[in-house]
Amino acid sequence: MFCHPLPSYLLLATVILATRGHGANLCHQDQSAALLRLKAGFHFDTMSPNCPLFPSQLRNLSSWKVDTNCCTWEGVTCDGTSGYVTALDLSCLCILGNLSTSDIFKLTSLRSLSLAYNNFDASPWPSFGFEQLTGLRLTLDGTKFSGPSPVPEHFVEFSSLTVLSLQRCGLTRTTFPSWIFHIKSLMSLDVSGNENLCGELPEFIEGSALQELLVSGTKFSGKIPESISNLRNLTALDLSNCRFHGLIPSFTQWPMIRWVDLSGNNITGSLPSDGYLSLHNLTEITLSNNSISGVIPPALFSHPSLKYLDLSQNNFTGNFLLYPNISSSLRAIDVSFNKLQGPLPKFLSKFVGIELLDLSSNNFTGFVGLSFIKNYKELWYLSLSHNKLSVVEEDGNHSYVEYPVIMELLGLASCNLSYIPKFLMHQTRLSDLDLSDNNIGGHIPDWIWAIGGPFSVSLNLSHNLFTSVNSNLSNTSIRDFDLHSNKIEGALPLPPSGTYRLDYSNNHFNSSITPEFWSRTSSANSLSLANNSLTGEVSQLICNSIDIGVLDLSFNNFSGSIPPCLLKHTKRLEVLNLRGNKFHGSLPQDISEDCALQIIDLNGNKLVGNLPVSMINCQILQVLDLGNNLIVDTYPEWLGVLPSLKVLVLKSNRFHGPIDYSGMNKQTHPFFPELQVLDLSSNSFNGSIPTRFFKQFKAMMAVSSGAPNMYVEVIPMSSASSPGYRPYYRDSITITLKGQETTMVQILSVFMYIDLSKNNFEGSIPREIGDLKILKQLNLSRNSFTGGIPPHIANMLQLESLDLSYNQLSGEIPPAMAPMSFLEMLNLSYNHLSGMIPQSSQFLTFPNTSFLGNGELCGKPLTRLCVSNQAPSAAPTPGSSKDLNWEFLSVEVGIISGLAVVVVTTLLWGNGRRWVYWHVDKFWLLVLYPWICRRLR
């Protein structure tokens, strides 16, 4: 019987027996260490105690039974005292059931135990019963339990534990227990890969034995304590991809340190300028993806033992400085994505042992000759891309024999090249060449297809000035070909079979597509032919591309119907963009139940018919853009069940009828929970808007936690780890933004937009619209809404654009709208509004065209002044009790000042004084008092 889940080559168990004496009984007699391996394909049956595979003296060492699919551990015992077992490896046994350890852990000499990559039904973790073993190395990597897995409390009893490894155990706990760090004998702690494990680093005490501290890939957070300097024995520190912040610790304080990895945090501060030469064992420093600033100490590049230095994606500034005594041990240097400036150092050619050198995405300037790499012995990765450099070839004799053969990547993007460097003719093993964003024009030389030799190559020639290319590339070995944004005309060049990614977009190709082209792209994962002048129909041969993930044929002159297989048979298609063509006919109605589509963009075609209800099979759909077609249907409320839908554009079609939820009233799940962009404009929707309509948009009501990301970014996963990787596909949408039609390529997750304009909606605007507190753009213009502007609209304090023009709204502009400080565009024109326009500082920035066509509106910016007895409609602004109308106030102050002069003069004359008193009293009672009362109202 076999243990089926385990491949035959796996070692199931290893028992190392350190014995004493001589003789047959290995448990009691001294003898050299014996190694016993129990391999897959064999088992110990509880009914066969005399199994010939096991010495009779160790007959009781292991008791097994075989479950249906997996081995099940029932216990381990050993004859006699069993006192000499020092190492026990029970990893990868696929153990099920509770672990019975009452006998095995009488092995008092046990020093190493591995239960890695097993599965236990017990939850919480069992009490192992070996807490008193001295100097134990315990490995539980990959061990899983059926229930929640907090760190066991009884681990505190491990007073003599030396190594504790808990990699990828699915550990969960609010705070990782700090007492584990304080076990005096602990030399190595590894909890990396437990992505839900939280915790903070404690204050470390002096005299700690800790040598390795590895917590990468967890949710550890907080500041790195200054007391980490007490770990004088530290040799390895890995805090990468956590949530630490604060100043970077000075690792010059750890005399024994070998490698440090603090990447993927939010660590700030700067690196010390010296002290590195005393770290004799230091070989690796990884600080990428942080916020470290200041200059890069030149002493780092002179360290005699340092091999790997990664400072990428930080805020380093200043020049890239090098001392003459550059270390020959350096193998990899990555300072990409910083703010370094100035010319490249002249000592760059002294990195003779370098294998990876990435200087990309900085602000380096000046001319650089490629001859600086001639002394490099084994260079496999070089990137100078995206600086302000001008790369030149210095060898006049065109002798490139001395140049190293680059085996992985050469990045010369945005290097002011006007031609393809000739030394590339000798690069016969290159895997990835990036010459994008240069000024290279003319015909693409045919010798470039030989780069990489017999090996497949990734070639990026995008954003250049190429005008022509060989029409048949079928004999080349290009797996990834990016030719977009050039000036190439004519027919599409035939790609080689097996091409993985092909981008011919943004050129001047103007032919139809041959059947052979479709056949040669059958293995493609990504195909973009967008923004050309291609004609004809899309062949059914596209259905043979079963692995395609991104298909972008947008902005061409394709016609005919959409091949049904694109929605029915492709199970890996994530992006379907056919925008801006001449496709006609009905939408394919039969969509696969395994639909993987995240983006469907069919905007700007001539599609007719109804929406396919089977579209609800696309459960991870994020963008659906069917605008500017001829689709005839009612409001598709059933699309609300799509849990990930963020963008829904149905503008400029023939949708009609009311927004009706009668068919979905019994549904209890939320509708449109993630929707950010809704455009129903330019249709024939009618009726009033139900209260439920605005209540369902939960994503528009509360600010999401975390940093804003792109709302959609579909990326072929297989290229995510490749050198020079960048996100490949981002969708764009065209919306009416602040009164003008705008195409947005990148939209942050905080962008929220609703456009219901140019329909026949009527009735009042629901007050619930004010619950959409983070809405940025709202357009309800050119409908038949009646009633007043709901005062609750003032709750939308992040609103930047509001268009309610061309309706039948009446009443005053709500005074509560005055403090809407984010509002940049307001259009209330051509309604029946009345009263004074709020005179807040924000409203005074809008032009008079925002209020035209409202016969009874008055006040700035209109020229129509409000009458004196008309109550002003401005609301108090924060920090003041009332907004003052300075026009009225100036008149009143003038009258009162004149009266004061007359009164003072008259009071100096006795009879006049009595006359003044009588008339002042009369004026007070008959004029001033009633006027003040009216003002106070």
Side-chain angles (χ1 to χ4, degrees):
M1 185 177 293
F2 291 85
C3 182
H4 298 288
L6 298 174
S8 60
Y9 59 86
L10 279 181
L11 172 66
L12 286 188
T14 301
V15 182
I16 301 175
L17 304 176
T19 60
R20 298 178 182 176
H22 302 275
N25 193 335
L26 297 180
C27 283
H28 297 286
Q29 301 182 19
D30 292 337
Q31 199 173 33
S32 60
L35 179 66
L36 176 65
R37 301 178 183 271
L38 311 180
K39 295 186 177 180
F42 301 96
H43 71 280
F44 295 98
D45 198 320
T46 55
M47 303 303 292
S48 304
N50 295 317
C51 177
L53 296 175
F54 219 124
S56 60
Q57 293 89 343
L58 300 178
R59 187 176 303 156
N60 294 322
L61 179 66
S62 183
S63 177
W64 298 80
K65 72 176 181 180
V66 178
D67 198 13
T68 306
N69 293 315
C70 239
C71 303
T72 301
W73 178 258
E74 288 197 335
V76 177
T77 62
C78 187
D79 292 338
T81 61
S82 305
Y84 302 106
V85 177
T86 60
L88 190 59
D89 188 345
L90 303 177
S91 57
C92 298
L93 285 173
C94 194
I95 294 175
L96 299 174
N98 203 339
L99 184 64
S100 174
T101 58
S102 58
D103 292 320
I104 186 175
F105 299 118
K106 293 177 182 178
L107 305 175
T108 57
S109 296
L110 194 64
R111 295 293 178 267
S112 178
L113 173 66
S114 177
L115 295 172
Y117 305 105
N118 286 298
N119 298 291
F120 296 121
D121 285 339
S123 180
W125 293 37
S127 177
F128 292 104
F130 47 84
E131 290 82 358
Q132 301 306 315
L133 297 177
T134 58
L136 181 65
R137 303 170 60 91
L138 179 60
T139 303
L140 297 168
D141 297 345
T143 300
K144 304 295 183 183
F145 291 87
S146 59
S149 302
V151 177
E153 293 292 344
H154 57 267
F155 272 24
V156 72
E157 301 174 12
F158 282 77
S159 58
S160 299
L161 193 66
T162 59
V163 174
L164 179 59
S165 188
L166 301 169
Q167 289 187 49
R168 296 179 178 86
C169 291
L171 295 179
T172 56
R173 190 185 176 101
T174 304
T175 303
F176 186 76
S178 60
W179 48 260
I180 289 184
F181 294 96
H182 294 149
I183 297 176
K184 292 183 178 180
S185 59
L186 190 64
M187 293 188 295
S188 177
L189 175 63
D190 187 351
V191 295
S192 57
N194 293 285
E195 58 185 18
N196 294 316
L197 181 63
C198 301
E200 294 184 357
L201 296 182
E203 293 295 330
F204 294 97
I205 59 175
E206 292 186 7
S208 172
L210 202 59
Q211 298 177 11
E212 295 182 346
L213 177 57
L214 316 173
V215 299
S216 65
T218 66
K219 291 182 179 178
F220 268 70
S221 59
K223 293 183 178 181
I224 301 175
E226 293 182 6
S227 59
I228 199 170
S229 61
N230 290 328
L231 302 180
R232 304 291 293 175
N233 297 312
L234 199 63
T235 62
L237 177 65
D238 189 352
L239 309 182
S240 61
N241 299 309
C242 292
R243 300 179 178 182
F244 291 107
H245 63 273
L247 295 177
I248 182 173
S250 175
F251 43 85
T252 58
Q253 60 200 342
W254 303 311
M256 308 298 293
I257 196 69
R258 291 185 293 106
W259 59 276
V260 178
D261 191 345
L262 305 179
S263 60
N265 287 283
N266 190 27
I267 296 173
T268 58
S270 58
L271 294 175
S273 58
D274 52 24
Y276 304 101
L277 295 181
S278 62
L279 307 178
H280 303 293
N281 301 319
L282 185 62
T283 60
E284 179 179 343
I285 300 175
T286 305
L287 305 177
S288 60
N289 196 13
N290 279 288
S291 300
I292 306 171
S293 57
V295 299
I296 299 176
L300 280 173
F301 305 101
S302 299
H303 194 285
S305 61
L306 188 64
K307 294 183 178 180
Y308 305 101
L309 178 62
D310 187 353
L311 305 178
S312 62
Q313 300 182 69
N314 277 285
N315 296 319
F316 288 108
T317 55
N319 289 2
F320 184 16
L321 301 177
L322 296 175
Y323 292 150
N325 58 334
I326 288 177
S327 172
S328 59
S329 65
L330 276 166
R331 295 292 179 267
I333 299 175
D334 189 348
V335 295
S336 62
F337 292 94
N338 279 285
K339 300 176 182 178
L340 300 173
Q341 60 190 26
L344 294 183
K346 61 181 180 179
F347 296 120
L348 206 59
S349 60
K350 291 192 174 184
F351 287 125
V352 293
I354 205 73
E355 298 173 0
L356 180 150
L357 180 61
D358 194 343
L359 308 178
S360 63
S361 300
N362 280 283
N363 296 315
F364 292 123
T365 56
F367 290 86
V368 56
L370 286 175
S371 60
F372 78 88
I373 68 173
K374 286 198 299 185
N375 296 328
Y376 294 177
K377 297 177 181 178
E378 190 175 350
L379 182 67
W380 59 272
Y381 187 112
L382 172 66
S383 181
L384 305 177
S385 298
H386 303 293
N387 283 284
K388 299 175 183 178
L389 293 169
S390 295
V391 174
V392 296
E393 287 185 298
E394 297 175 332
D395 286 345
N397 57 3
H398 301 292
S399 174
Y400 305 106
V401 179
E402 298 177 359
Y403 282 72
V405 176
I406 303 173
M407 293 183 291
E408 186 60 41
L409 177 142
L410 176 61
L412 297 177
S414 186
C415 285
N416 287 315
L417 290 170
S418 57
Y419 63 93
I420 298 178
K422 298 293 193 302
F423 95 101
L424 290 174
M425 299 176 67
H426 300 269
Q427 296 297 322
T428 57
R429 300 187 65 183
L430 196 61
S431 176
D432 196 327
L433 174 62
D434 188 354
L435 297 176
S436 63
D437 293 286
N438 282 291
N439 300 310
I440 311 173
H443 181 77
I444 299 176
D446 292 340
W447 58 259
I448 200 171
W449 314 122
I451 289 178
F455 306 100
S456 61
V457 65
S458 173
L459 181 60
N460 189 347
L461 301 179
S462 66
H463 290 282
N464 276 286
L465 304 173
F466 291 113
T467 55
S468 62
V469 61
N470 192 324
S471 60
N472 191 344
L473 305 177
S474 57
N475 294 324
T476 65
S477 55
I478 305 174
R479 71 176 185 279
D480 188 334
F481 189 24
D482 192 344
L483 199 56
H484 84 273
S485 300
N486 279 280
K487 298 181 177 182
I488 305 176
E489 301 177 349
L492 291 176
L494 287 176
S497 298
T499 300
Y500 179 75
R501 175 183 166 223
L502 189 64
D503 192 344
Y504 287 169
S505 63
N506 293 287
N507 278 282
H508 304 306
F509 294 116
N510 53 14
S511 64
S512 60
I513 302 181
T514 64
E516 188 177 1
F517 179 91
W518 293 118
S519 298
R520 290 189 172 277
T521 56
S522 60
S523 300
N525 175 273
S526 175
L527 174 62
S528 179
L529 306 176
N531 289 285
N532 282 286
S533 300
L534 298 170
T535 60
E537 298 187 3
V538 176
S539 169
Q540 294 290 331
L541 292 173
I542 188 67
C543 302
N544 295 331
S545 303
I546 58 175
D547 293 326
I548 197 160
V550 175
L551 178 62
D552 190 348
L553 307 180
S554 61
F555 298 106
N556 280 285
N557 293 314
F558 289 116
S559 57
S561 59
I562 297 174
C565 65
L566 290 178
L567 295 172
K568 183 177 181 180
H569 298 303
T570 52
K571 298 181 180 180
R572 298 185 181 180
L573 188 62
E574 296 175 330
V575 175
L576 177 61
N577 191 347
L578 306 181
R579 183 187 188 95
N581 282 283
K582 298 176 182 178
F583 290 105
H584 57 77
S586 299
L587 283 168
Q589 297 294 307
D590 190 4
I591 298 178
S592 169
E593 294 182 358
D594 300 321
C595 175
L597 281 161
Q598 298 183 41
I599 296 175
I600 300 176
D601 191 345
L602 307 178
N603 192 303
N605 284 282
K606 299 179 180 180
L607 301 172
V608 299
N610 298 333
L611 293 184
V613 179
S614 58
M615 195 170 285
I616 61 175
N617 292 334
C618 302
Q619 287 293 298
I620 59 174
L621 189 66
Q622 296 185 48
V623 176
L624 177 59
D625 190 345
L626 302 175
N628 296 288
N629 280 284
L630 303 172
I631 299 172
V632 181
D633 209 335
T634 57
Y635 179 67
E637 77 282 346
W638 45 270
L639 283 174
V641 303
L642 297 177
S644 301
L645 191 64
K646 292 180 171 65
V647 176
L648 177 59
V649 178
L650 303 177
K651 66 179 295 185
S652 300
N653 277 281
R654 296 178 181 178
F655 287 92
H656 60 276
I659 294 178
D660 185 12
Y661 288 98
S662 59
M664 311 295 285
N665 282 339
K666 295 182 180 180
Q667 301 290 343
T668 57
H669 52 71
F671 273 59
F672 298 108
E674 298 293 328
L675 199 67
Q676 298 176 210
V677 175
L678 175 64
D679 193 343
L680 306 180
S681 62
S682 301
N683 281 285
S684 298
F685 291 113
N686 57 28
S688 59
I689 295 181
T691 299
R692 175 178 172 179
F693 181 73
F694 291 119
K695 279 187 173 182
Q696 61 192 338
F697 304 133
K698 302 299 181 184
M700 303 183 189
M701 296 181 181
V703 179
S704 59
S705 59
N709 295 313
M710 310 313 296
Y711 70 81
V712 61
E713 185 172 272
V714 179
I715 306 164
M717 295 304 295
S718 59
S719 63
S721 60
S722 63
Y725 162 75
R726 295 185 202 167
Y728 170 55
Y729 193 88
R730 289 173 180 164
D731 189 47
S732 62
I733 59 171
T734 300
I735 58 177
T736 302
L737 187 63
K738 299 178 183 178
Q740 295 184 349
E741 193 168 86
T742 305
T743 298
M744 305 189 73
V745 178
Q746 299 179 8
I747 299 181
L748 293 176
S749 61
V750 294
F751 181 81
M752 307 290 171
Y753 174 93
I754 291 180
D755 191 345
L756 307 181
S757 63
K758 299 179 184 178
N759 281 285
N760 299 314
F761 290 117
E762 58 189 17
S764 60
I765 299 173
R767 66 191 298 272
E768 287 75 15
I769 197 172
D771 295 336
L772 309 181
K773 295 181 179 180
I774 59 174
L775 193 68
K776 301 289 186 181
Q777 317 282 335
L778 177 61
N779 191 347
L780 303 180
S781 65
R782 298 182 184 274
N783 282 284
S784 299
F785 289 112
T786 56
I789 300 174
H792 286 77
I793 210 168
N795 294 336
M796 304 161 70
L797 293 178
Q798 296 192 35
L799 199 65
E800 297 175 2
S801 175
L802 174 62
D803 193 346
L804 303 178
S805 62
Y806 292 94
N807 279 286
Q808 299 177 29
L809 300 172
S810 58
E812 291 188 345
I813 300 174
M817 291 179 62
M820 298 178 70
S821 58
F822 280 87
L823 202 58
E824 297 177 6
M825 198 287 289
L826 175 67
N827 193 350
L828 304 178
S829 62
Y830 299 99
N831 280 284
H832 304 303
L833 301 174
S834 59
M836 177 177 283
I837 297 171
Q839 298 297 292
S840 70
S841 57
Q842 190 66 29
F843 269 72
L844 292 176
T845 64
F846 302 129
N848 62 347
T849 53
S850 295
F851 307 100
L852 292 179
N854 293 279
E856 298 184 21
L857 272 183
C858 61
K860 291 183 176 180
L862 297 177
T863 57
R864 186 184 304 110
L865 300 179
C866 298
V867 296
S868 59
N869 62 352
Q870 185 172 0
S873 56
T877 57
S880 64
S881 59
K882 284 184 178 292
D883 280 337
L884 297 179
N885 189 323
W886 292 100
E887 291 182 354
F888 290 102
L889 187 59
S890 61
V891 175
E892 294 158 3
V893 170
I895 294 173
I896 295 172
S897 300
L899 287 174
V901 173
V902 175
V903 169
V904 170
T905 304
T906 307
L907 287 176
L908 298 177
W909 176 46
N911 291 332
R913 188 184 303 117
R914 287 190 295 273
W915 181 87
V916 168
Y917 288 163
W918 185 83
H919 282 282
V920 167
D921 290 342
K922 184 176 180 182
F923 184 78
W924 170 259
L925 292 172
L926 297 180
V927 180
L928 284 179
Y929 183 77
W931 180 80
I932 291 174
C933 290
R934 287 196 303 272
R935 297 286 290 172
L936 292 176
R937 294 193 194 103

